[in-house]
Amino acid sequence: MIITKSKDIKDVLEFVKDKHNIFLVGCGSCAEACKTGGEPEVIALKNELESHGKKVLSYIMPEETCNQNLTRKLINENKDAFERADAVIVLACGAGVQTITNLYEEKVVYPGLDTLFLGNTKRVGDFAENCSLCGECVLGETASICPVTRCPKGLLHGPCGGMDDGKCEMDKTKECAWVRIYERLKAQGRLDKLRKLKPLKDYSKHAKPAALNLGARARSSL
């Protein structure tokens, strides 16, 4: 799940200070779960904009705003309002914002949220970052604890000299990721994993911008 937070309304109003007719786009997936882009938040933004003299022509709630086919379908169903809008404000992650821009390059599109991280849901409204989407997963060697993410320094070959009594020097309230890896591997009887020399991380596998076309892959295998 992509975790987001709402931008300050002052920043949003600054975006549209010279605009009058606004079209809003929410997100029925990640942003809804974060309570930043669901229908209540879209309606709240609509009311806030209208209290500042703006006119919200309409809004849509795609199930997943980053899915361009779903989003395009809903926009086409609200084509008149969308075309008359001076600006579009998207309450979704950065991928959702760019979905709109890529589909309608002539439109002025603004983000209503800040995108924070890929999160695991611990419970409703409580999220934790456990994966950095690094492109070369090492979890098989580290007892499914990601050192790239869970260690503030992203160390791949054991704890640094700043580890103190099992705690991270960057934040004394947090356990050192490598101490946790050691303890879990020990409990699993797999400490031999720590004796294995690992190559340096190949950061080219996380080169940006990334893309994956499953259709092209399937055709190339024929």
Side-chain angles (χ1 to χ4, degrees), residues 146-163 168-171 177-178 203:
C146 177
V148 176
T149 307
R150 304 289 285 276
C151 169
K153 298 178 182 180
L155 298 180
L156 286 171
H157 301 92
C160 68
M163 185 272 290
C168 175
E169 69 172 340
M170 306 293 289
D171 184 344
W178 276 102
Y203 285 98

Side-chain angles (χ1 to χ4, degrees), residues 18-135:
D18 298 324
K19 310 297 182 182
H20 180 67
N21 296 318
I22 312 297
F23 190 94
L24 301 180
V25 180
C27 176
S29 183
C30 301
E32 181 176 62
C34 291
K35 299 187 183 302
T36 54
E39 193 159 17
E41 292 75 42
V42 172
I43 292 174
L45 179 58
K46 174 181 181 294
N47 294 336
E48 185 72 30
L49 291 169
E50 290 178 342
S51 74
H52 285 81
K54 307 300 180 182
K55 184 175 182 180
V56 177
L57 300 177
S58 187
Y59 69 86
I60 59 171
M61 283 294 306
E63 184 178 342
E64 295 177 340
T65 309
C66 58
N67 185 317
Q68 71 174 27
N69 289 333
L70 292 176
T71 300
R72 178 165 46 203
K73 181 177 182 295
L74 287 181
I75 289 176
N76 286 340
E77 292 172 359
N78 293 266
K79 185 176 180 179
D80 180 64
F82 186 82
E83 289 182 346
R84 289 191 293 117
D86 303 322
V88 179
I89 299 175
V90 182
L91 297 186
C93 70
V97 176
Q98 292 176 82
T99 294
I100 307 297
T101 302
N102 292 339
L103 287 171
Y104 306 96
E105 294 188 1
E106 75 285 356
K107 276 295 176 186
V108 177
V109 181
Y110 295 113
L113 310 179
D114 290 320
T115 305
L116 303 180
F117 58 89
L118 175 69
N120 287 59
T121 304
K122 298 165 68 175
R123 59 185 67 86
V124 176
D126 187 1
F127 309 103
E129 183 179 22
N130 292 326
C131 176
S132 295
L133 308 172
C134 72

